[in-house]
Amino acid sequence: MKKIDLLQKLRDGWKLLVRSVCQHPTELVMLVYAAIVLGINKNLYGTSWMCPCILAPFLVTAAYTLSFYRQKSKLWNLLYFVPLLLFVSSSFISSLADWLEQWCWSVTYDVMIVVAALWLFIRHFKMGNTAYVQRNISMVNSGVMATFVSGILFLLYVLIQVSMEMIFGWDFHDELIEKVAYFVFIVILPMLFFACEDVEREFSLGKFWKNVLLWVLTPALLIYTAILYIYSAKVLFTWTLPEGSVSVMIFIFCLTAMGAQMLLQFCDKNPFGWFYRHFSWFALPLLVLFWVGVARRISDYGLTENRYYLILCGLLMTA
């Protein structure tokens, strides 16, 4: 019986993957191109044909966002192919190559990739609170599932190749595993993610995670709030400026607390509801401490590229 269920699940998974390929052709073409180019020249040096690879994370994100509107009208369907047009045309702009080559190794590029990933969460902002949380948690779950399956596929390939080398004495190319890794994690992983996301699922928080949320994470947040308040009192009474690193601590604290507040919508009982309902007020003095810490860091060491991003994160958190 279990064998039949497993085979059925494999068939269902294959159907979902085929359906994803049919629904996301633009994303597939860009991902395959990026995997091939990285397999040939992983350092992306030199010519303009590597330009699309550098732009791929952003153009794939744009195409994936537009794919949900394809059925609305012919105009939306045409707009869906615009990222692919930009992708192809970038390879013919030779003057773009040098600038993109420098940009892709900068901190700015890494930050923009994070922004592109965050956009996938923000794009559902028109939904109600519960539906918004459901959608985004489902998306995280899809990402975890796609990563897990891709990792298993890659591990199986590595085991097969190593076994053939040991048993039959076959000599595989040294870089073959690396090329397969590019294909699995650049092409298969995103397409599996799209396949999972194309199927709507209802999310529910398990009993274990409810207990972790209510009786581990929330008490830890309360203790951390008390610690930050005590530190704020010390700053106030001793009239000393806070350490700059406190700003990062407060940002992570607020981000974690807001995430916990979202997940609490799936808990039947919430003994700490008073904390989350008034969290904005609890966080207000800490926001003041955050900005004083940022000002201290800038006054001591000046403005750097990383501190620009800290200011940006602070503005988003404050809003």
Side-chain angles (χ1 to χ4, degrees):
M1 188 66 182
K2 289 183 178 178
K3 185 178 180 181
I4 295 174
D5 290 340
L6 178 60
L7 289 174
Q8 186 59 45
K9 287 180 179 179
L10 288 173
R11 290 193 196 98
D12 293 341
W14 176 253
K15 287 179 182 177
L16 282 175
L17 189 57
V18 172
R19 180 183 171 190
S20 176
V21 169
C22 295
Q23 291 186 344
H24 304 281
T26 292
E27 296 94 313
L28 179 63
V29 170
M30 291 190 284
L31 292 169
V32 169
Y33 181 88
I36 292 172
V37 171
L38 284 170
I40 296 172
N41 182 6
K42 64 181 178 181
N43 293 318
L44 295 178
Y45 289 140
T47 56
S48 58
W49 51 263
M50 59 77 176
C51 291
C53 292
I54 298 173
L55 295 172
F58 315 107
L59 295 176
V60 169
T61 301
Y64 178 63
T65 303
L66 291 168
S67 67
F68 291 94
Y69 302 95
R70 290 182 66 190
Q71 306 301 325
K72 286 192 172 183
S73 66
K74 291 182 179 179
L75 177 60
W76 280 109
N77 197 37
L78 288 173
L79 287 174
Y80 167 72
F81 292 98
V82 169
L84 180 59
L85 179 63
L86 295 173
F87 186 85
V88 173
S89 60
S90 65
S91 63
F92 296 100
I93 306 175
S94 57
S95 59
L96 194 63
D98 293 335
W99 181 81
L100 282 176
E101 188 178 326
Q102 293 179 354
W103 183 53
C104 76
W105 297 111
S106 68
V107 176
T108 309
Y109 184 78
D110 297 332
V111 171
M112 290 305 297
I113 286 184
V114 173
V115 170
L118 288 175
W119 165 250
L120 296 177
F121 292 92
I122 299 170
R123 63 194 172 93
H124 301 298
F125 65 94
K126 288 186 178 181
M127 293 181 171
N129 287 343
T130 302
Y132 176 82
V133 176
Q134 284 267 14
R135 184 86 284 283
N136 283 331
I137 291 177
S138 177
M139 187 170 64
V140 171
N141 188 46
S142 298
V144 171
M145 289 174 60
T147 304
F148 177 76
V149 173
S150 300
I152 293 294
L153 289 173
F154 179 65
L155 182 61
L156 285 173
Y157 172 79
V158 172
L159 290 174
I160 291 170
Q161 178 175 319
V162 171
S163 299
M164 287 184 170
E165 288 176 341
M166 293 177 65
I167 296 172
F168 301 107
W170 293 355
D171 186 19
F172 288 89
H173 196 279
D174 292 339
E175 295 182 353
L176 185 59
I177 288 181
E178 189 178 84
K179 295 180 188 300
V180 171
Y182 284 133
F183 183 77
V184 169
F185 294 108
I186 293 178
V187 179
I188 294 180
L189 192 155
M191 295 309 295
L192 284 173
F193 171 76
F194 299 153
C196 293
E197 277 294 276
D198 288 341
V199 179
E200 293 188 6
R201 297 183 304 276
E202 196 73 20
F203 175 81
S204 62
L205 199 63
K207 186 176 180 181
F208 172 78
W209 294 111
K210 287 180 181 178
N211 288 328
V212 169
L213 179 62
L214 289 174
W215 306 111
V216 178
L217 181 59
T218 301
L221 287 171
L222 288 169
I223 294 169
Y224 203 72
T225 304
I227 292 171
L228 289 173
Y229 265 77
I230 292 169
Y231 182 76
S232 300
K234 175 191 171 186
V235 169
L236 184 63
F237 287 111
T238 60
W239 206 244
T240 56
L241 290 173
E243 296 293 329
S245 57
V246 174
S247 301
V248 178
M249 295 164 61
I250 292 173
F251 177 74
I252 295 173
F253 162 75
C254 289
L255 199 65
T256 305
M258 285 186 281
Q261 187 177 16
M262 292 170 67
L263 290 172
L264 278 169
Q265 297 186 64
F266 302 101
C267 295
D268 302 325
K269 297 179 181 179
N270 183 9
F272 301 101
W274 55 270
F275 173 69
Y276 291 104
R277 281 194 300 271
H278 303 96
F279 176 73
S280 295
W281 294 107
F282 285 116
L284 196 58
L286 302 180
L287 284 177
V288 175
L289 185 65
F290 172 90
W291 287 111
V292 174
V294 170
R296 166 70 184 274
R297 179 62 65 130
I298 292 173
S299 66
D300 287 348
Y301 304 105
L303 268 174
T304 62
E305 188 176 13
N306 290 340
R307 290 188 189 104
Y308 280 118
Y309 298 125
L310 182 62
I311 292 171
L312 176 61
C313 291
L315 289 171
L316 292 172
M317 178 179 64
T318 304

PDB file of all heavy atoms in Angstrom, residues 92-122:
ATOM      1  N   PHE A  92      23.317  42.215 -25.359  1.00  0.00           N
ATOM      2  CA  PHE A  92      23.807  42.928 -26.539  1.00  0.00           C
ATOM      3  C   PHE A  92      24.328  44.327 -26.193  1.00  0.00           C
ATOM      4  O   PHE A  92      24.765  45.054 -27.074  1.00  0.00           O
ATOM      5  CB  PHE A  92      22.695  43.058 -27.585  1.00  0.00           C
ATOM      6  CG  PHE A  92      22.238  41.732 -28.119  1.00  0.00           C
ATOM      7  CD1 PHE A  92      21.077  41.142 -27.651  1.00  0.00           C
ATOM      8  CD2 PHE A  92      22.977  41.052 -29.087  1.00  0.00           C
ATOM      9  CE1 PHE A  92      20.645  39.913 -28.136  1.00  0.00           C
ATOM     10  CE2 PHE A  92      22.567  39.831 -29.584  1.00  0.00           C
ATOM     11  CZ  PHE A  92      21.401  39.247 -29.106  1.00  0.00           C
ATOM     12  N   ILE A  93      24.280  44.682 -24.919  1.00  0.00           N
ATOM     13  CA  ILE A  93      24.754  46.010 -24.498  1.00  0.00           C
ATOM     14  C   ILE A  93      26.141  45.830 -23.888  1.00  0.00           C
ATOM     15  O   ILE A  93      26.284  45.526 -22.693  1.00  0.00           O
ATOM     16  CB  ILE A  93      23.788  46.656 -23.491  1.00  0.00           C
ATOM     17  CG1 ILE A  93      22.365  46.689 -24.059  1.00  0.00           C
ATOM     18  CG2 ILE A  93      24.247  48.067 -23.122  1.00  0.00           C
ATOM     19  CD1 ILE A  93      21.324  47.193 -23.088  1.00  0.00           C
ATOM     20  N   SER A  94      27.159  46.003 -24.686  1.00  0.00           N
ATOM     21  CA  SER A  94      28.534  45.747 -24.233  1.00  0.00           C
ATOM     22  C   SER A  94      28.963  46.705 -23.126  1.00  0.00           C
ATOM     23  O   SER A  94      29.749  46.347 -22.252  1.00  0.00           O
ATOM     24  CB  SER A  94      29.494  45.842 -25.416  1.00  0.00           C
ATOM     25  OG  SER A  94      29.380  47.114 -26.041  1.00  0.00           O
ATOM     26  N   SER A  95      28.459  47.938 -23.166  1.00  0.00           N
ATOM     27  CA  SER A  95      28.855  48.933 -22.153  1.00  0.00           C
ATOM     28  C   SER A  95      28.313  48.585 -20.770  1.00  0.00           C
ATOM     29  O   SER A  95      28.783  49.109 -19.756  1.00  0.00           O
ATOM     30  CB  SER A  95      28.362  50.325 -22.562  1.00  0.00           C
ATOM     31  OG  SER A  95      26.945  50.329 -22.702  1.00  0.00           O
ATOM     32  N   LEU A  96      27.323  47.689 -20.726  1.00  0.00           N
ATOM     33  CA  LEU A  96      26.713  47.313 -19.453  1.00  0.00           C
ATOM     34  C   LEU A  96      27.549  46.288 -18.692  1.00  0.00           C
ATOM     35  O   LEU A  96      27.470  46.187 -17.464  1.00  0.00           O
ATOM     36  CB  LEU A  96      25.313  46.732 -19.714  1.00  0.00           C
ATOM     37  CG  LEU A  96      24.354  46.574 -18.540  1.00  0.00           C
ATOM     38  CD1 LEU A  96      23.999  47.910 -17.927  1.00  0.00           C
ATOM     39  CD2 LEU A  96      23.080  45.848 -19.009  1.00  0.00           C
ATOM     40  N   ALA A  97      28.390  45.552 -19.399  1.00  0.00           N
ATOM     41  CA  ALA A  97      29.117  44.426 -18.820  1.00  0.00           C
ATOM     42  C   ALA A  97      30.042  44.840 -17.682  1.00  0.00           C
ATOM     43  O   ALA A  97      30.035  44.245 -16.599  1.00  0.00           O
ATOM     44  CB  ALA A  97      29.891  43.690 -19.907  1.00  0.00           C
ATOM     45  N   ASP A  98      30.863  45.869 -17.928  1.00  0.00           N
ATOM     46  CA  ASP A  98      31.841  46.283 -16.909  1.00  0.00           C
ATOM     47  C   ASP A  98      31.154  46.760 -15.638  1.00  0.00           C
ATOM     48  O   ASP A  98      31.579  46.428 -14.522  1.00  0.00           O
ATOM     49  CB  ASP A  98      32.747  47.396 -17.468  1.00  0.00           C
ATOM     50  CG  ASP A  98      33.641  46.884 -18.582  1.00  0.00           C
ATOM     51  OD1 ASP A  98      33.906  45.670 -18.605  1.00  0.00           O
ATOM     52  OD2 ASP A  98      34.054  47.696 -19.428  1.00  0.00           O
ATOM     53  N   TRP A  99      30.101  47.559 -15.813  1.00  0.00           N
ATOM     54  CA  TRP A  99      29.389  48.077 -14.633  1.00  0.00           C
ATOM     55  C   TRP A  99      28.728  46.954 -13.844  1.00  0.00           C
ATOM     56  O   TRP A  99      28.811  46.905 -12.611  1.00  0.00           O
ATOM     57  CB  TRP A  99      28.335  49.091 -15.064  1.00  0.00           C
ATOM     58  CG  TRP A  99      27.593  49.667 -13.891  1.00  0.00           C
ATOM     59  CD1 TRP A  99      28.005  50.671 -13.060  1.00  0.00           C
ATOM     60  CD2 TRP A  99      26.314  49.242 -13.406  1.00  0.00           C
ATOM     61  NE1 TRP A  99      27.060  50.898 -12.079  1.00  0.00           N
ATOM     62  CE2 TRP A  99      26.010  50.046 -12.269  1.00  0.00           C
ATOM     63  CE3 TRP A  99      25.388  48.283 -13.816  1.00  0.00           C
ATOM     64  CZ2 TRP A  99      24.827  49.901 -11.551  1.00  0.00           C
ATOM     65  CZ3 TRP A  99      24.217  48.135 -13.097  1.00  0.00           C
ATOM     66  CH2 TRP A  99      23.934  48.926 -11.985  1.00  0.00           C
ATOM     67  N   LEU A 100      28.084  46.018 -14.553  1.00  0.00           N
ATOM     68  CA  LEU A 100      27.412  44.906 -13.874  1.00  0.00           C
ATOM     69  C   LEU A 100      28.414  43.985 -13.188  1.00  0.00           C
ATOM     70  O   LEU A 100      28.140  43.449 -12.111  1.00  0.00           O
ATOM     71  CB  LEU A 100      26.579  44.102 -14.879  1.00  0.00           C
ATOM     72  CG  LEU A 100      25.243  44.710 -15.296  1.00  0.00           C
ATOM     73  CD1 LEU A 100      24.580  43.849 -16.357  1.00  0.00           C
ATOM     74  CD2 LEU A 100      24.309  44.872 -14.107  1.00  0.00           C
ATOM     75  N   GLU A 101      29.576  43.819 -13.805  1.00  0.00           N
ATOM     76  CA  GLU A 101      30.607  42.963 -13.215  1.00  0.00           C
ATOM     77  C   GLU A 101      31.071  43.510 -11.870  1.00  0.00           C
ATOM     78  O   GLU A 101      31.259  42.769 -10.907  1.00  0.00           O
ATOM     79  CB  GLU A 101      31.783  42.847 -14.179  1.00  0.00           C
ATOM     80  CG  GLU A 101      32.821  41.829 -13.734  1.00  0.00           C
ATOM     81  CD  GLU A 101      33.950  41.698 -14.734  1.00  0.00           C
ATOM     82  OE1 GLU A 101      33.691  41.831 -15.950  1.00  0.00           O
ATOM     83  OE2 GLU A 101      35.081  41.481 -14.297  1.00  0.00           O
ATOM     84  N   GLN A 102      31.242  44.824 -11.783  1.00  0.00           N
ATOM     85  CA  GLN A 102      31.615  45.450 -10.510  1.00  0.00           C
ATOM     86  C   GLN A 102      30.464  45.400  -9.520  1.00  0.00           C
ATOM     87  O   GLN A 102      30.651  45.141  -8.325  1.00  0.00           O
ATOM     88  CB  GLN A 102      32.044  46.901 -10.751  1.00  0.00           C
ATOM     89  CG  GLN A 102      33.332  47.037 -11.545  1.00  0.00           C
ATOM     90  CD  GLN A 102      33.703  48.482 -11.778  1.00  0.00           C
ATOM     91  OE1 GLN A 102      32.950  49.400 -11.451  1.00  0.00           O
ATOM     92  NE2 GLN A 102      34.873  48.694 -12.370  1.00  0.00           N
ATOM     93  N   TRP A 103      29.261  45.628 -10.021  1.00  0.00           N
ATOM     94  CA  TRP A 103      28.080  45.684  -9.144  1.00  0.00           C
ATOM     95  C   TRP A 103      27.792  44.335  -8.493  1.00  0.00           C
ATOM     96  O   TRP A 103      27.430  44.263  -7.317  1.00  0.00           O
ATOM     97  CB  TRP A 103      26.870  46.151  -9.961  1.00  0.00           C
ATOM     98  CG  TRP A 103      25.625  46.320  -9.145  1.00  0.00           C
ATOM     99  CD1 TRP A 103      25.481  47.056  -8.004  1.00  0.00           C
ATOM    100  CD2 TRP A 103      24.340  45.751  -9.418  1.00  0.00           C
ATOM    101  NE1 TRP A 103      24.182  46.985  -7.552  1.00  0.00           N
ATOM    102  CE2 TRP A 103      23.465  46.190  -8.398  1.00  0.00           C
ATOM    103  CE3 TRP A 103      23.844  44.924 -10.432  1.00  0.00           C
ATOM    104  CZ2 TRP A 103      22.121  45.817  -8.374  1.00  0.00           C
ATOM    105  CZ3 TRP A 103      22.508  44.566 -10.395  1.00  0.00           C
ATOM    106  CH2 TRP A 103      21.666  44.998  -9.376  1.00  0.00           C
ATOM    107  N   CYS A 104      27.970  43.239  -9.226  1.00  0.00           N
ATOM    108  CA  CYS A 104      27.597  41.923  -8.711  1.00  0.00           C
ATOM    109  C   CYS A 104      28.481  41.463  -7.564  1.00  0.00           C
ATOM    110  O   CYS A 104      28.113  40.549  -6.820  1.00  0.00           O
ATOM    111  CB  CYS A 104      27.568  40.882  -9.823  1.00  0.00           C
ATOM    112  SG  CYS A 104      29.198  40.330 -10.366  1.00  0.00           S
ATOM    113  N   TRP A 105      29.671  42.078  -7.393  1.00  0.00           N
ATOM    114  CA  TRP A 105      30.554  41.718  -6.282  1.00  0.00           C
ATOM    115  C   TRP A 105      30.479  42.730  -5.146  1.00  0.00           C
ATOM    116  O   TRP A 105      31.284  42.675  -4.211  1.00  0.00           O
ATOM    117  CB  TRP A 105      32.001  41.600  -6.776  1.00  0.00           C
ATOM    118  CG  TRP A 105      32.185  40.520  -7.791  1.00  0.00           C
ATOM    119  CD1 TRP A 105      32.461  40.679  -9.115  1.00  0.00           C
ATOM    120  CD2 TRP A 105      32.097  39.110  -7.569  1.00  0.00           C
ATOM    121  NE1 TRP A 105      32.549  39.465  -9.753  1.00  0.00           N
ATOM    122  CE2 TRP A 105      32.331  38.473  -8.821  1.00  0.00           C
ATOM    123  CE3 TRP A 105      31.838  38.311  -6.458  1.00  0.00           C
ATOM    124  CZ2 TRP A 105      32.300  37.091  -8.970  1.00  0.00           C
ATOM    125  CZ3 TRP A 105      31.819  36.936  -6.621  1.00  0.00           C
ATOM    126  CH2 TRP A 105      32.050  36.342  -7.850  1.00  0.00           C
ATOM    127  N   SER A 106      29.515  43.636  -5.202  1.00  0.00           N
ATOM    128  CA  SER A 106      29.381  44.659  -4.157  1.00  0.00           C
ATOM    129  C   SER A 106      28.319  44.268  -3.144  1.00  0.00           C
ATOM    130  O   SER A 106      27.495  43.379  -3.383  1.00  0.00           O
ATOM    131  CB  SER A 106      29.014  46.009  -4.787  1.00  0.00           C
ATOM    132  OG  SER A 106      27.702  45.955  -5.329  1.00  0.00           O
ATOM    133  N   VAL A 107      28.327  44.959  -2.014  1.00  0.00           N
ATOM    134  CA  VAL A 107      27.320  44.737  -0.969  1.00  0.00           C
ATOM    135  C   VAL A 107      25.944  45.130  -1.478  1.00  0.00           C
ATOM    136  O   VAL A 107      24.929  44.512  -1.131  1.00  0.00           O
ATOM    137  CB  VAL A 107      27.683  45.552   0.298  1.00  0.00           C
ATOM    138  CG1 VAL A 107      26.596  45.403   1.361  1.00  0.00           C
ATOM    139  CG2 VAL A 107      29.022  45.104   0.851  1.00  0.00           C
ATOM    140  N   THR A 108      25.901  46.146  -2.333  1.00  0.00           N
ATOM    141  CA  THR A 108      24.626  46.616  -2.871  1.00  0.00           C
ATOM    142  C   THR A 108      23.887  45.501  -3.602  1.00  0.00           C
ATOM    143  O   THR A 108      22.671  45.351  -3.464  1.00  0.00           O
ATOM    144  CB  THR A 108      24.854  47.784  -3.854  1.00  0.00           C
ATOM    145  OG1 THR A 108      25.667  48.761  -3.226  1.00  0.00           O
ATOM    146  CG2 THR A 108      23.529  48.418  -4.257  1.00  0.00           C
ATOM    147  N   TYR A 109      24.625  44.701  -4.345  1.00  0.00           N
ATOM    148  CA  TYR A 109      23.997  43.599  -5.095  1.00  0.00           C
ATOM    149  C   TYR A 109      23.378  42.577  -4.133  1.00  0.00           C
ATOM    150  O   TYR A 109      22.258  42.110  -4.349  1.00  0.00           O
ATOM    151  CB  TYR A 109      25.046  42.921  -5.983  1.00  0.00           C
ATOM    152  CG  TYR A 109      24.476  41.837  -6.873  1.00  0.00           C
ATOM    153  CD1 TYR A 109      23.793  42.168  -8.035  1.00  0.00           C
ATOM    154  CD2 TYR A 109      24.634  40.491  -6.552  1.00  0.00           C
ATOM    155  CE1 TYR A 109      23.279  41.176  -8.864  1.00  0.00           C
ATOM    156  CE2 TYR A 109      24.128  39.497  -7.376  1.00  0.00           C
ATOM    157  CZ  TYR A 109      23.446  39.848  -8.525  1.00  0.00           C
ATOM    158  OH  TYR A 109      22.927  38.871  -9.337  1.00  0.00           O
ATOM    159  N   ASP A 110      24.100  42.246  -3.075  1.00  0.00           N
ATOM    160  CA  ASP A 110      23.575  41.299  -2.079  1.00  0.00           C
ATOM    161  C   ASP A 110      22.311  41.834  -1.423  1.00  0.00           C
ATOM    162  O   ASP A 110      21.340  41.098  -1.207  1.00  0.00           O
ATOM    163  CB  ASP A 110      24.636  41.010  -1.013  1.00  0.00           C
ATOM    164  CG  ASP A 110      25.872  40.342  -1.591  1.00  0.00           C
ATOM    165  OD1 ASP A 110      25.735  39.646  -2.621  1.00  0.00           O
ATOM    166  OD2 ASP A 110      26.967  40.524  -1.029  1.00  0.00           O
ATOM    167  N   VAL A 111      22.335  43.124  -1.109  1.00  0.00           N
ATOM    168  CA  VAL A 111      21.160  43.746  -0.480  1.00  0.00           C
ATOM    169  C   VAL A 111      19.975  43.728  -1.440  1.00  0.00           C
ATOM    170  O   VAL A 111      18.834  43.454  -1.038  1.00  0.00           O
ATOM    171  CB  VAL A 111      21.482  45.187  -0.036  1.00  0.00           C
ATOM    172  CG1 VAL A 111      20.217  45.911   0.424  1.00  0.00           C
ATOM    173  CG2 VAL A 111      22.507  45.167   1.080  1.00  0.00           C
ATOM    174  N   MET A 112      20.215  43.992  -2.720  1.00  0.00           N
ATOM    175  CA  MET A 112      19.130  44.002  -3.695  1.00  0.00           C
ATOM    176  C   MET A 112      18.528  42.617  -3.884  1.00  0.00           C
ATOM    177  O   MET A 112      17.329  42.482  -4.136  1.00  0.00           O
ATOM    178  CB  MET A 112      19.642  44.546  -5.036  1.00  0.00           C
ATOM    179  CG  MET A 112      19.948  46.040  -5.013  1.00  0.00           C
ATOM    180  SD  MET A 112      18.538  47.040  -4.468  1.00  0.00           S
ATOM    181  CE  MET A 112      17.349  46.680  -5.750  1.00  0.00           C
ATOM    182  N   ILE A 113      19.338  41.571  -3.738  1.00  0.00           N
ATOM    183  CA  ILE A 113      18.797  40.207  -3.805  1.00  0.00           C
ATOM    184  C   ILE A 113      17.871  39.957  -2.614  1.00  0.00           C
ATOM    185  O   ILE A 113      16.805  39.344  -2.759  1.00  0.00           O
ATOM    186  CB  ILE A 113      19.941  39.178  -3.849  1.00  0.00           C
ATOM    187  CG1 ILE A 113      20.592  39.207  -5.227  1.00  0.00           C
ATOM    188  CG2 ILE A 113      19.441  37.768  -3.524  1.00  0.00           C
ATOM    189  CD1 ILE A 113      21.677  38.190  -5.441  1.00  0.00           C
ATOM    190  N   VAL A 114      18.275  40.440  -1.445  1.00  0.00           N
ATOM    191  CA  VAL A 114      17.411  40.322  -0.254  1.00  0.00           C
ATOM    192  C   VAL A 114      16.116  41.092  -0.473  1.00  0.00           C
ATOM    193  O   VAL A 114      15.026  40.615  -0.128  1.00  0.00           O
ATOM    194  CB  VAL A 114      18.144  40.835   1.002  1.00  0.00           C
ATOM    195  CG1 VAL A 114      17.202  40.868   2.202  1.00  0.00           C
ATOM    196  CG2 VAL A 114      19.346  39.955   1.308  1.00  0.00           C
ATOM    197  N   VAL A 115      16.213  42.287  -1.070  1.00  0.00           N
ATOM    198  CA  VAL A 115      15.020  43.098  -1.351  1.00  0.00           C
ATOM    199  C   VAL A 115      14.104  42.360  -2.325  1.00  0.00           C
ATOM    200  O   VAL A 115      12.869  42.356  -2.150  1.00  0.00           O
ATOM    201  CB  VAL A 115      15.429  44.471  -1.936  1.00  0.00           C
ATOM    202  CG1 VAL A 115      14.207  45.223  -2.470  1.00  0.00           C
ATOM    203  CG2 VAL A 115      16.122  45.300  -0.862  1.00  0.00           C
ATOM    204  N   ALA A 116      14.682  41.717  -3.337  1.00  0.00           N
ATOM    205  CA  ALA A 116      13.880  40.948  -4.302  1.00  0.00           C
ATOM    206  C   ALA A 116      13.151  39.809  -3.605  1.00  0.00           C
ATOM    207  O   ALA A 116      11.980  39.518  -3.902  1.00  0.00           O
ATOM    208  CB  ALA A 116      14.771  40.410  -5.423  1.00  0.00           C
ATOM    209  N   ALA A 117      13.837  39.146  -2.664  1.00  0.00           N
ATOM    210  CA  ALA A 117      13.199  38.057  -1.909  1.00  0.00           C
ATOM    211  C   ALA A 117      12.084  38.598  -1.014  1.00  0.00           C
ATOM    212  O   ALA A 117      10.999  38.006  -0.914  1.00  0.00           O
ATOM    213  CB  ALA A 117      14.241  37.325  -1.074  1.00  0.00           C
ATOM    214  N   LEU A 118      12.338  39.747  -0.380  1.00  0.00           N
ATOM    215  CA  LEU A 118      11.322  40.346   0.492  1.00  0.00           C
ATOM    216  C   LEU A 118      10.102  40.797  -0.311  1.00  0.00           C
ATOM    217  O   LEU A 118       8.981  40.795   0.206  1.00  0.00           O
ATOM    218  CB  LEU A 118      11.914  41.532   1.254  1.00  0.00           C
ATOM    219  CG  LEU A 118      12.913  41.186   2.362  1.00  0.00           C
ATOM    220  CD1 LEU A 118      13.510  42.456   2.954  1.00  0.00           C
ATOM    221  CD2 LEU A 118      12.244  40.359   3.450  1.00  0.00           C
ATOM    222  N   TRP A 119      10.334  41.175  -1.566  1.00  0.00           N
ATOM    223  CA  TRP A 119       9.212  41.601  -2.406  1.00  0.00           C
ATOM    224  C   TRP A 119       8.183  40.488  -2.546  1.00  0.00           C
ATOM    225  O   TRP A 119       6.978  40.740  -2.622  1.00  0.00           O
ATOM    226  CB  TRP A 119       9.708  42.044  -3.781  1.00  0.00           C
ATOM    227  CG  TRP A 119       8.587  42.146  -4.781  1.00  0.00           C
ATOM    228  CD1 TRP A 119       8.357  41.334  -5.842  1.00  0.00           C
ATOM    229  CD2 TRP A 119       7.523  43.108  -4.768  1.00  0.00           C
ATOM    230  NE1 TRP A 119       7.223  41.725  -6.510  1.00  0.00           N
ATOM    231  CE2 TRP A 119       6.677  42.812  -5.872  1.00  0.00           C
ATOM    232  CE3 TRP A 119       7.203  44.177  -3.944  1.00  0.00           C
ATOM    233  CZ2 TRP A 119       5.549  43.548  -6.157  1.00  0.00           C
ATOM    234  CZ3 TRP A 119       6.073  44.923  -4.232  1.00  0.00           C
ATOM    235  CH2 TRP A 119       5.250  44.609  -5.322  1.00  0.00           C
ATOM    236  N   LEU A 120       8.645  39.240  -2.589  1.00  0.00           N
ATOM    237  CA  LEU A 120       7.726  38.109  -2.709  1.00  0.00           C
ATOM    238  C   LEU A 120       6.775  38.054  -1.512  1.00  0.00           C
ATOM    239  O   LEU A 120       5.649  37.572  -1.633  1.00  0.00           O
ATOM    240  CB  LEU A 120       8.506  36.796  -2.816  1.00  0.00           C
ATOM    241  CG  LEU A 120       9.381  36.649  -4.071  1.00  0.00           C
ATOM    242  CD1 LEU A 120      10.145  35.337  -4.015  1.00  0.00           C
ATOM    243  CD2 LEU A 120       8.528  36.722  -5.338  1.00  0.00           C
ATOM    244  N   PHE A 121       7.229  38.534  -0.362  1.00  0.00           N
ATOM    245  CA  PHE A 121       6.356  38.597   0.812  1.00  0.00           C
ATOM    246  C   PHE A 121       5.459  39.834   0.768  1.00  0.00           C
ATOM    247  O   PHE A 121       4.282  39.774   1.129  1.00  0.00           O
ATOM    248  CB  PHE A 121       7.193  38.640   2.095  1.00  0.00           C
ATOM    249  CG  PHE A 121       7.939  37.373   2.379  1.00  0.00           C
ATOM    250  CD1 PHE A 121       9.233  37.203   1.918  1.00  0.00           C
ATOM    251  CD2 PHE A 121       7.349  36.342   3.095  1.00  0.00           C
ATOM    252  CE1 PHE A 121       9.930  36.035   2.172  1.00  0.00           C
ATOM    253  CE2 PHE A 121       8.041  35.177   3.360  1.00  0.00           C
ATOM    254  CZ  PHE A 121       9.335  35.017   2.894  1.00  0.00           C
ATOM    255  N   ILE A 122       6.007  40.947   0.311  1.00  0.00           N
ATOM    256  CA  ILE A 122       5.269  42.210   0.350  1.00  0.00           C
ATOM    257  C   ILE A 122       4.151  42.258  -0.681  1.00  0.00           C
ATOM    258  O   ILE A 122       3.137  42.920  -0.485  1.00  0.00           O
ATOM    259  CB  ILE A 122       6.251  43.391   0.125  1.00  0.00           C
ATOM    260  CG1 ILE A 122       7.299  43.418   1.245  1.00  0.00           C
ATOM    261  CG2 ILE A 122       5.520  44.725   0.067  1.00  0.00           C
ATOM    262  CD1 ILE A 122       8.434  44.386   0.986  1.00  0.00           C
TER     263      ILE A 122
END
